[in-house]
Amino acid sequence: MSDEEKRKRAITARRQHLKSVMLQIAATLLEKETAAKEAEKANYLAEHCPPLSLPHSMQELQELCKKLHAKVEVVDEERYDTESKLQKTTKELEDLSQKLFDLRGKFKRPPLRRVRMSADAMLRALLGSKHKVCMDLRANLKQVKKEDTEKEKDLRDVGDWRKNIEEKSGMEGRKKMFETSES
């Protein structure tokens, strides 16, 4: 092996080693993070949800139900408040993004529909009652009469080739061929 190949192999080995060390460090950090989340969750539950002790008498059970009901109401009020705040902030965000679009000058263009309108109607729409000129563009076009040439007349006289073949097919067509050739 040459020195160049040895150097390349050493570089790739070092890269592999560094990559494996980074992966090990990342794995330990992930484990620590999940353990911290679990501990935080346990602390929160211990703080906000004390262990349930069921009383034995009916009156104590009713009081416990009233307390739980009051806590549920408080949580519902907080949830409603956070939902209303969220809706308010999303509306503000939409308004701000619309203002930003307006400031940039990029508007959403609606799809345009094709409108059939004559030139006279366009001028009337633009000029109003001042419009007196008639813009009939087709009237100004020249009309060209097509003159029949002799070749076209001959082609029309010959007719369609399919008719000729149909006439000549069968015994009657052969009779006609003989009759025309004799005369």
Side-chain angles (χ1 to χ4, degrees):
M1 272 199 250
S2 68
D3 290 336
E4 185 70 25
E5 289 178 8
K6 288 180 183 177
R7 203 175 108 244
K8 284 183 181 179
R9 283 192 179 179
I11 290 173
T12 55
R14 177 141 175 86
R15 280 185 190 158
Q16 292 292 335
H17 177 69
L18 287 174
K19 194 184 269 187
S20 64
V21 168
M22 286 173 55
L23 286 173
Q24 287 174 353
I25 292 171
T28 56
L29 287 175
L30 279 174
E31 289 173 6
K32 287 179 183 178
E33 188 176 323
T34 53
K37 281 184 181 179
E38 287 293 325
E40 187 178 331
K41 184 178 177 182
N43 288 339
Y44 182 83
L45 287 175
E47 199 176 294
H48 292 291
C49 301
L52 185 63
S53 60
L54 293 175
H56 297 292
S57 69
M58 183 64 115
Q59 190 149 9
E60 289 175 352
L61 271 175
Q62 286 176 348
E63 287 176 20
L64 179 66
C65 287
K66 287 179 183 176
K67 287 179 184 177
L68 289 176
H69 188 68
K71 286 184 179 181
V72 167
E73 284 180 359
V74 168
V75 169
D76 275 345
E77 287 175 6
E78 288 177 6
R79 183 181 55 83
Y80 179 76
D81 290 344
T82 53
E83 280 181 2
S84 62
K85 285 179 184 177
L86 179 69
Q87 288 174 352
K88 188 176 180 182
T89 53
T90 53
K91 179 141 179 54
E92 286 177 7
L93 276 173
E94 288 173 2
D95 291 342
L96 288 173
S97 64
Q98 185 63 37
K99 283 183 182 178
L100 193 86
F101 250 55
D102 292 346
L103 291 173
R104 284 185 185 161
K106 293 183 180 179
F107 298 102
K108 289 184 181 178
R109 293 185 181 102
L112 299 176
R113 285 183 281 148
R114 182 168 284 193
V115 178
R116 292 190 143 241
M117 186 182 279
S118 67
D120 291 329
M122 277 194 239
L123 285 172
R124 256 186 250 118
L126 290 172
L127 302 175
S129 62
K130 297 176 188 175
H131 173 63
K132 303 280 188 201
V133 181
C134 182
M135 286 283 296
D136 189 11
L137 298 175
R138 290 185 185 174
N140 297 336
L141 292 177
K142 291 182 181 177
Q143 290 186 353
V144 178
K145 269 195 170 177
K146 188 176 181 184
E147 295 181 16
D148 291 337
T149 60
E150 288 182 24
K151 287 183 182 178
E152 290 175 0
K153 285 182 183 177
D154 291 339
L155 286 175
R156 264 188 268 138
D157 292 340
V158 170
D160 193 10
W161 61 271
R162 289 183 209 100
K163 290 181 184 175
N164 291 342
I165 289 177
E166 287 173 7
E167 289 174 4
K168 292 178 183 176
S169 65
M171 289 303 280
E172 291 178 21
R174 293 212 167 113
K175 281 183 193 175
K176 286 182 189 175
M177 279 177 46
F178 285 116
E179 289 170 4
T180 54
S181 64
E182 289 175 4
S183 57

